[in-house]
């Protein structure tokens, strides 16, 4: 049993089929790691019963906190809010409740806490994801490494950072580039890091063209802004 305290952030949008299992998986993994933890779950404007399921689970689990958005705000907004709400020493964020790390992957990333300032989870395969998603993930890694001079395996996987350090990062994008924004900023500070292989449960919803198009545009804007901020302005800390 480890002594580190940990906040885990989960985002969910229309995940009524998987949200309960995602929370249960996460809770089970945390119980093996530490007794000092909390799980913050974001119902990101879901139109199904996701919010009701989350609320029912909070009644039986004091470590579970629910945040409900009246409209869909996207990944970056939720994680930025989650970091602001976190009460524990470390904060872990992963993408959504539809596809989440398996128990062995949870064990691996939890075990790495304390060994480096930044823990990066990378996907060892993309399972049944549609090929456009796989290609875009591959291309995004190549572009990020080229633009910023890194050699990172993956930018959109789970990350673990001390909560207070995370709050010093300028967090601007609401898109799926949020994780890359945090990772690139911290790496530019030359913090220590380690990469942990991750396996995920199969993704059930498949390709959503609207969400994909919205995030591609958001990611392009984020990349331009991030290049300007990190490579030109050298702005590595949040303005106070």
């Amino acid at each position: 049993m480890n002594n580190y305290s940990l906040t885990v952030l989960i985002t969910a949008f229309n995940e009524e089929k998987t949200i309960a299992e995602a929370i249960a998986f996460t809770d089970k993994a945390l119980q093996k790691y530490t007794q000092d933890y909390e799980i913050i779950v974001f119902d990101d404007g879901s139109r199904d019963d996701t919010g009701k399921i989350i609320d029912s689970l909070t009644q039986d689990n004091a470590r579970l906190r629910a945040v409900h958005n009246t409209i869909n705000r996207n990944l970056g907004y939720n994680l930025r809010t989650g970091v602001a709400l976190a009460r524990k020493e470390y904060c872990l964020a992963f993408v959504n409740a539809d596809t989440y790390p398996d128990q062995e992957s949870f064990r691996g990333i939890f075990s790495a806490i304390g060994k480096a300032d930044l823990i990066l989870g990378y996907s060892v395969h993309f399972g049944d994801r549609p090929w456009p998603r796989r290609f875009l993930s591959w291309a995004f890694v190549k572009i990020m490494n080229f633009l910023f001079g890194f050699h990172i395996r993956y930018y959109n996987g789970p990350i673990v950072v001390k909560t207070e350090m995370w709050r010093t990062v300028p967090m601007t994008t609401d898109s799926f580039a949020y994780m890359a924004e945090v990772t690139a900023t911290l790496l530019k500070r030359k913090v220590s890091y380690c990469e942990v292989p991750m396996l995920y449960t199969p993704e059930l919803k498949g390709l959503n063209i609207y969400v994909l198009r919205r995030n591609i545009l958001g990611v392009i804007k984020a990349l331009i802004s991030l290049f300007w901020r990190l490579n030109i302005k050298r702005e590595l800390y949040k303005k106070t």
Side-chain angles (χ1 to χ4, degrees), residues 73-93:
R73 305 302 296 266
N74 216 346
L75 179 70
Y77 175 90
N78 292 319
L79 297 187
R80 184 166 61 249
T81 303
V83 171
L85 294 173
R87 299 169 179 166
K88 304 303 180 180
E89 180 183 8
Y90 284 87
C91 198
L92 180 150

Side-chain angles (χ1 to χ4, degrees), residues 51-155:
K52 293 179 181 178
I53 294 170
I54 294 172
D55 284 341
S56 68
L57 293 172
T58 62
Q59 296 176 12
D60 300 320
N61 189 342
R63 291 192 172 101
L64 185 62
R65 300 164 62 191
V67 178
H68 298 279
N69 297 332
T70 55
I71 61 173
N72 183 260
R73 305 302 296 266
N74 216 346
L75 179 70
Y77 175 90
N78 292 319
L79 297 187
R80 184 166 61 249
T81 303
V83 171
L85 294 173
R87 299 169 179 166
K88 304 303 180 180
E89 180 183 8
Y90 284 87
C91 198
L92 180 150
F94 61 88
V95 175
N96 60 58
D98 184 46
T99 175
Y100 43 88
D102 64 13
Q103 290 294 308
E104 184 63 21
S105 296
F106 270 127
R107 187 197 66 78
I109 201 164
F110 291 161
S111 297
I113 294 175
K115 296 179 180 178
D117 296 318
L118 173 62
I119 313 300
L120 298 171
Y122 67 91
S123 183
V124 295
H125 68 70
F126 296 100
D128 57 355
R129 290 185 182 181
W131 70 263
R133 287 276 304 278
R134 284 179 278 170
F135 172 77
L136 288 172
S137 294
W138 173 85
F140 185 71
V141 170
K142 295 295 184 183
I143 291 170
M144 284 292 298
N145 284 338
F146 174 76
L147 290 177
F148 301 104
F150 304 139
H151 301 281
I152 302 301
R153 292 183 175 94
Y154 196 58
Y155 285 90

